Structures are given as structure tokens and as C-alpha cells.
């Protein structure tokens, strides 16, 4: 197959990869606005619980064999990404389910954008860090890159 590769294939592949990444980042930025609002609307006692759960989720992701599959659920043959699971739970009327969803979503986006080089992803990471600071998540867990000390 590599014998028949056209000169423009590599360019086209890079273009598709870039557009896909930009689309994903745009989607996460839209979701972030909702996640931030829901996080900061919580009463202080729930915010403290959320901060602790975010730290635990960061630990779980860091210890996961395949962080890209962390939080995935398969039900009736349909696999849902951890980000989608977290975002759906974050919209729940049940406060405990909502807190768990917010923590999962924020921890996954934190991990995904931690070593990002694309400008859009770096900005998304900064926004997630700002929310975590507001929630006072910065414990030794995040200062060590999400790994327990």
C-alpha cells in the first residue's frame, strides 16, 4: 500500500488530524462553560467535596493503564467516553451524581490537556486550572502531576 501512496496523502492526513483536534477542543470549550457554571453554583460544602473528588479522579487517571479509556462505560453494546459520561452526569438533578460527573469531566480534561502544545488546548488547560484553583483543588496531587506523593 505504501508503494501507491500519493504525495498529498501526508498533507491530507495532517489536515484532517488538525481539523479533528480543533473540533474536539471547540466542543470541550463549549462544555467547559456549562461545567464551570455548575461547579461554581454548588454550595461551599459541596465544592469542598467536589475538590476532593477531582483530586481522586486525577489520581485514578494517572494510575490507569490507558488514561484515554478512563471512565468509559459500555452499555447494551454502546461505548460512551469518560468525557461524555462525566458531562451527562454533571447535568443530573441529583447533587451527588452531578458532583461525580463534574469531577470526572474536569479531571479528564486536565489530564488530556496537561502536556498540550496546540494553542487552543493550552488555553483550555489554563481555564480548567483556573476553575480548579477556585475550587481549591490544588493539593499535593496536582502539584505532582496528578500522581500521589
Amino acid at each position: 500500500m505504501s508503494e501507491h501512496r500519493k504525495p498529498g496523502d501526508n498533507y491530507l492526513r495532517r489536515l484532517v488530524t488538525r481539523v479533528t483536534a480543533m473540533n474536539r477542543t471547540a466542543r470541550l470549550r463549549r462544555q467547559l462553560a456549562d461545567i464551570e457554571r455548575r461547579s461554581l453554583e454548588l454550595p461551599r460544602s459541596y465544592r469542598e467535596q467536589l475538590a476532593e473528588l477531582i483530586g481522586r479522579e486525577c489520581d485514578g487517571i494517572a494510575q490507569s493503564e490507558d488514561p484515554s479509556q478512563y471512565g468509559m462505560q459500555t452499555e447494551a453494546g454502546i461505548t460512551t467516553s469518560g468525557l461524555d459520561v462525566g458531562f451527562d452526569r454533571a447535568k443530573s438533578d441529583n447533587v451527588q451524581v452531578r458532583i461525580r460527573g463534574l469531577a470526572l469531566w474536569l479531571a479528564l480534561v486536565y489530564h488530556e490537556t496537561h502536556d498540550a502544545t496546540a494553542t487552543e488546548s493550552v488555553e483550555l488547560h489554563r481555564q480548567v486550572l483556573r476553575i480548579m484553583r477556585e475550587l481549591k483543588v490544588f493539593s499535593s496531587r496536582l502539584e505532582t502531576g496528578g500522581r500521589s506523593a
Side-chain angles (χ1 to χ4, degrees):
M1 175 151 185
S2 61
E3 296 173 19
H4 304 289
R5 183 170 276 167
K6 296 178 185 173
D9 283 354
N10 196 27
Y11 172 77
L12 186 58
R13 185 172 298 126
R14 285 192 326 245
L15 179 64
V16 168
T17 300
R18 179 75 174 132
V19 168
T20 302
M22 287 174 51
N23 187 29
R24 178 173 178 76
T25 302
R27 177 177 159 234
L28 292 176
R29 286 177 59 202
R30 282 191 305 273
Q31 289 179 348
L32 180 65
D34 194 31
I35 293 292
E36 179 177 19
R37 181 180 55 78
R38 291 174 185 278
S39 297
L40 299 177
E41 283 178 348
L42 293 170
R44 179 158 294 303
S45 62
Y46 287 122
R47 283 189 193 185
E48 292 169 8
Q49 186 179 2
L50 174 58
E52 178 61 29
L53 283 172
I54 292 170
R56 286 187 200 160
E57 291 290 2
C58 285
D59 288 346
I61 293 167
Q63 295 170 3
S64 175
E65 255 183 58
D66 185 359
S68 68
Q69 298 204 0
Y70 187 85
M72 277 188 171
Q73 287 188 342
T74 302
E75 190 174 308
I78 299 172
T79 301
T80 307
S81 77
L83 282 168
D84 290 338
V85 169
F87 190 68
D88 287 344
R89 288 180 181 172
K91 297 185 283 185
S92 174
D93 290 333
N94 181 313
V95 176
Q96 293 301 318
V97 172
R98 184 179 328 142
I99 289 171
R100 292 196 172 279
L102 292 166
L104 178 61
W105 194 94
L106 285 165
L108 283 168
V109 174
Y110 171 85
H111 180 78
E112 182 176 318
T113 59
H114 182 67
D115 294 323
T117 56
T119 306
E120 304 87 14
S121 296
V122 170
E123 181 57 32
L124 181 61
H125 186 71
R126 284 186 189 133
Q127 292 173 347
V128 168
L129 288 175
R130 181 182 46 76
I131 293 169
M132 290 175 151
R133 271 193 305 274
E134 288 181 40
L135 294 169
K136 298 186 179 7
V137 173
F138 270 89
S139 65
S140 60
R141 290 181 178 143
L142 291 181
E143 291 166 1
T144 60
R147 292 176 268 299
S148 294

